[in-house]
Amino acid sequence: MHADPRGVLTGVHFLDGDHACCEGALTAGARFASGYPITPSTEVVERFAARVPTLGGIFIQMEDELAASIALQGAVWGGAKAFTVTSGPGFSLMMEHIGYAAMTETPCVFVNVQRGGPSTGLPTLPAQADMMQARWGSHGDYGIIALCPNSPQECFDLTIQAFNFAEQFRVPVMLMMDEVVGHMTEKVVIPPAEQIEIFPRRHTSKPPADYLPYETNGDMVPEMAHAGEGYKFHITGLTHDERGYPVMTVPAQDKLVRRLQQKIERAADEIALYEEEKVDDAEVVVVSYGITSRVAQRAIELARAQGRRVGKFRLITAWPFPEHRIRQLAQRTKAFVVPELNLGQMVREVERLAGGLSRVLPVSHAGGGVHRPEDILQAILEAAS
Amino acid sequence: MSEVRNPVEPFLRMDRMPHIWCPGCGIGTTVNCFTRALIESKVDLDHVTIVSGIGCTGRVAGYVKLDSFHTTHGRAIPFATGLKLANPKLNVIVYSGDGDLSAIGGNHLIHAARRNIDLKIVCVNNLIYAMTGGQTAPTTPNDAVTSTAPYGSYEPAFNLPHLVEAAGAVYVARWTTYHVRQLARSMQEAFAKKGFSFIEVLSPCPTLYQRRNKLGDGLETMKYYKEKSKVRNGAPTSEVGLTMQGEIIVGKFVDRDRPDYRELMRHRLAETLGDRYVECEELVCS
Ligand SMILES: Cc1ncc(C[n+]2csc(CCOP(=O)(O)OP(=O)(O)O)c2C)c(N)n1
Ligand code: SF4
Ligand SMILES: [Mg+2]
């Protein structure tokens, strides 16, 4: 299916990442957002609040992030495509409802424009220190998807991708931006609506009498019905069976929780998007994402200028992590260098997958700014030596 | 020969019976009133949706045969807010406990009332956190013993009708599980009313509240409700606070009109945006 042209501002624009994210959401068909103001993410919903009444949609500013992160799920069950936008402290408050969305398989998008933490931290300055929280922040086991754009253009593109994955897999999808990407202004090209693919809601075609809310077929993703259509279904955050009824047994828990994780894991190769450059004969591969990938690019060029064979591996999808590809690269790469604006989060995945076959050098940064290219360069040279 | 069936059965998920509630619990009585109100109001059940939080009362959503959502603790109201905004045709009922709605969910309660979101709240007040074993709630009256106030509660309690009236509710009533006809009628009125409606139902929790306070069983509590309740429709809500085993003022306290959230939104946006405003009826995506 193609995007509804009414929401699509086709053309060439000059936008910051936050505004581009809003346009991505509108293009994807989001007509409901619930938010609570927090720097550096608020611009997304400010634009949405201005734009969406002209498109037949609603923005509501809720009383806190607990409310914002569940109101959007009510809207989804009412039929809408919906999202919320936040940053560190608000993201922490939303964790219970990321779990609720995972458990009830509510397709929705959470945007986190990352700033320095912990706690109130650095409200106006960047970090990438919520990456593990995005994956594991709610209690219990479940699968989610997280994407990390590195430019305003990607804020647009990946917001659409986030909605598409949310619908395809019926999961909460996290768009993990950072303050720099959110606030940098660049060219953003919005294509014509008919060139933009939209994954439609997996609405059931069954009549109410035959419908079970959590019955699944081969791809492990159930079909949805909306409230008010006569299905009279039950949805709960308790462990449930195919009817959606609570069942407090070990087998029911095992069946449900494994499916929630496996529906994502089994499709990981399809979901795990990445960008590579000269990795095939590289002695060192730099793994990075978000704004850090742009600083890393500079470091890679400096190293190449010194005759080093350096490959670039940029995560576009952070979760599920591109396990197969990193394992393959570990077979032939001497070392991975992993710069990130945290004290070592995604690097743990690289270490785990390298399995001792190649060295892994983190380049940590506590946040508040970006790396100096020289610091990444130094790690590359050390790794290559 | 046709079987004699309880008229509320078609409204319940009989495949989920028996329910989890204790003998003498008042929650089932409120559900009976609710189904009677549904029958009598002749609303289209396809368009009635029920949202609960977490607690013994929170389980109601799982037992009634409607589109039903058992959400997270305290968040039934914001979930219902999103649902109602996405599909204004739905009659959205929030059915939950006193702790869920007024403690962890207290912020949402007052803000939804302030915005006048078109939701009908049924608050089953058993003066306690029942599901978790009888801890103090914001509604627990002074002197009552709870599992976390073993020497008696000394925190001042919320007067819920007063709270929600002050926050902006357009319909506020209180009954007990003794007042089944009045309760069902209030529910019917609330279904038909546009805006934020709040019905408090005092309900026994013999297992945890009455027993720990040596107040007898469910029947004993019914006697108390019968003897100590006074119907005072229109009573100033500031005067309806509850005390331990004291007088219970019941009745319809507030029934007023003011524009609901959607009307306010539509009015403002149409006025400011003119032709550019695209009104939404249902936000159904394809
Ligand atoms: C976030 C969170 N905190 C705590 C709990 C535990 N909990 C479940 S029900 C409940 C209290 C419910 O009390 P009330 O709303 O009065 O319902 P009742 O059981 O009395 O009907 C609590 C504290 C929870 N489920 N979630
Ligand atoms: S514990 Fe109390 S409120 Fe819960 S079911 Fe038993 S009697 Fe009812
Ligand atoms: Mg209670």
Side-chain angles (χ1 to χ4, degrees), chain B residues 176-197:
Chain B
T176 76
T177 49
Y178 173 74
H179 301 89
V180 287
R181 279 203 318 280
Q182 295 93 324
L183 174 58
R185 185 159 8 91
S186 259
M187 286 173 164
Q188 240 181 289
E189 283 179 10
F191 294 164
K193 181 99 190 166
K194 192 152 197 82
F196 190 87
S197 304

Side-chain angles (χ1 to χ4, degrees), chain A residues 63 79 97 228 232 234-236, chain B residues 46 67-68 70 72 115 285:
Chain A
E63 50 276 13
H97 291 147
K232 300 195 175 67
H234 183 57
I235 300 300
T236 177
Chain B
D46 283 358
D67 289 327
S68 55
H70 183 222
T72 52
R115 295 185 183 109
C285 68

Side-chain angles (χ1 to χ4, degrees), chain A residues 223-254:
Chain A
E223 292 178 336
M224 237 179 131
H226 296 142
E229 297 173 336
Y231 285 87
K232 300 195 175 67
F233 56 80
H234 183 57
I235 300 300
T236 177
L238 287 167
T239 297
H240 46 267
D241 61 15
E242 294 185 339
R243 296 170 300 173
Y245 290 178
V247 184
M248 306 292 102
T249 66
V250 173
Q253 170 77 356
D254 187 77

Side-chain angles (χ1 to χ4, degrees), chain B residues 8-165:
Chain B
V8 305
E9 272 187 21
F11 297 82
L12 301 178
R13 300 183 192 278
M14 295 310 290
D15 53 349
R16 288 212 58 213
M17 298 297 145
H19 57 65
I20 62 159
W21 298 313
C22 312
C25 176
I27 298 171
T29 311
T30 72
V31 174
N32 245 301
C33 296
F34 178 63
T35 53
R36 277 169 200 285
L38 287 177
I39 295 170
E40 274 156 43
S41 62
K42 300 190 177 70
V43 286
D44 176 1
L45 295 182
D46 283 358
H47 289 131
V48 181
T49 302
I50 182 165
V51 183
S52 287
I54 303 293
C56 292
T57 313
R59 293 303 184 96
V60 168
Y63 294 125
V64 292
K65 209 191 277 176
L66 297 169
D67 289 327
S68 55
F69 298 92
H70 183 222
T71 63
T72 52
H73 190 25
R75 319 301 169 198
I77 286 178
F79 182 97
T81 298
L83 185 64
K84 178 71 190 178
L85 291 180
N87 187 346
K89 280 196 205 135
L90 299 175
N91 202 332
V92 182
I93 320 287
V94 171
Y95 213 119
S96 216
D98 50 312
D100 184 86
L101 288 166
S102 77
I104 190 166
N107 199 28
H108 313 311
L109 178 71
I110 56 175
H111 286 282
R114 170 181 66 80
R115 295 185 183 109
N116 200 21
I117 307 276
D118 186 17
L119 300 175
K120 293 90 187 53
I121 316 296
V122 179
C123 174
V124 175
N125 184 0
N126 49 21
L127 309 173
I128 202 121
Y129 284 181
M131 174 136 272
T132 41
Q135 296 82 20
T136 308
T139 46
T140 304
N142 258 306
D143 305 331
V145 171
T146 73
S147 75
T148 47
Y151 309 113
S153 169
Y154 40 83
E155 280 187 25
F158 261 150
N159 169 352
L160 294 177
H162 191 41
L163 176 73
V164 295
E165 181 188 14

Side-chain angles (χ1 to χ4, degrees), chain A residues 109-369:
Chain A
V109 173
F110 289 75
V111 178
N112 177 0
V113 187
Q114 295 172 88
R115 65 190 226 182
S119 191
T120 311
L122 300 170
T124 61
L125 299 171
Q128 296 177 309
D130 309 344
M131 300 305 294
M132 283 290 170
Q133 186 185 25
R135 176 64 189 88
W136 305 107
S138 199
H139 54 283
D141 285 313
Y142 54 92
I144 53 92
I145 296 171
L147 308 175
C148 28
N150 79 346
S151 66
Q153 180 67 54
E154 267 198 357
C155 289
F156 175 80
D157 297 337
L158 293 186
T159 301
I160 300 171
Q161 184 67 68
F163 276 96
N164 283 348
F165 279 153
E167 297 295 336
Q168 186 177 354
F169 296 99
R170 282 190 61 183
V171 276
V173 178
M174 268 142 276
L175 188 78
M176 301 298 286
M177 295 168 50
D178 56 70
E179 185 276 334
V180 180
V181 162
H183 283 161
M184 67 165 36
T185 300
E186 286 182 340
K187 188 169 103 171
V188 174
V189 180
I190 301 184
E194 67 273 14
Q195 289 172 22
I196 301 171
E197 269 314 308
I198 299 297
F199 197 99
R201 179 139 301 166
R202 287 172 170 266
H203 196 285
T204 186
S205 51
K206 291 186 176 160
D210 300 339
Y211 175 67
L212 293 174
Y214 291 104
E215 186 180 34
T216 57
N217 46 26
D219 67 0
M220 295 187 165
V221 184
E223 292 178 336
M224 237 179 131
H226 296 142
E229 297 173 336
Y231 285 87
K232 300 195 175 67
F233 56 80
H234 183 57
I235 300 300
T236 177
L238 287 167
T239 297
H240 46 267
D241 61 15
E242 294 185 339
R243 296 170 300 173
Y245 290 178
V247 184
M248 306 292 102
T249 66
V250 173
Q253 170 77 356
D254 187 77
K255 188 173 175 208
L256 175 60
V257 177
R258 283 189 195 283
R259 182 175 65 73
L260 294 180
Q261 201 188 56
Q262 281 170 8
K263 70 175 178 178
I264 304 302
E265 293 305 322
R266 68 195 284 281
D269 288 344
E270 177 189 346
I271 305 168
L273 310 172
Y274 53 81
E275 182 194 336
E276 288 180 339
E277 193 183 279
K278 297 188 180 156
V279 292
D280 288 334
D281 64 339
E283 39 182 355
V284 177
V285 172
V286 178
V287 179
S288 63
Y289 55 93
I291 189 59
T292 306
S293 67
R294 298 179 64 156
V295 186
Q297 184 76 38
R298 175 82 187 127
I300 291 166
E301 281 156 17
L302 292 171
R304 285 179 187 154
Q306 295 186 24
R308 300 295 175 183
R309 283 183 286 120
V310 186
K312 164 179 136 180
F313 187 94
R314 178 167 77 89
L315 296 167
I316 296 172
T317 302
W319 304 111
F321 197 78
E323 305 212 351
H324 289 155
R325 190 58 184 151
I326 296 292
R327 275 210 180 90
Q328 277 171 0
L329 294 177
Q331 306 281 342
R332 50 177 189 255
T333 302
K334 201 152 124 193
F336 291 101
V337 167
V338 188
E340 46 186 343
L341 292 180
N342 58 52
L343 300 188
Q345 298 194 9
M346 301 309 286
V347 69
R348 288 165 176 263
E349 286 298 289
V350 180
E351 258 164 11
R352 178 172 72 80
L353 297 162
L357 292 176
S358 24
R359 280 177 76 200
V360 179
L361 278 80
V363 189
S364 65
H365 187 305

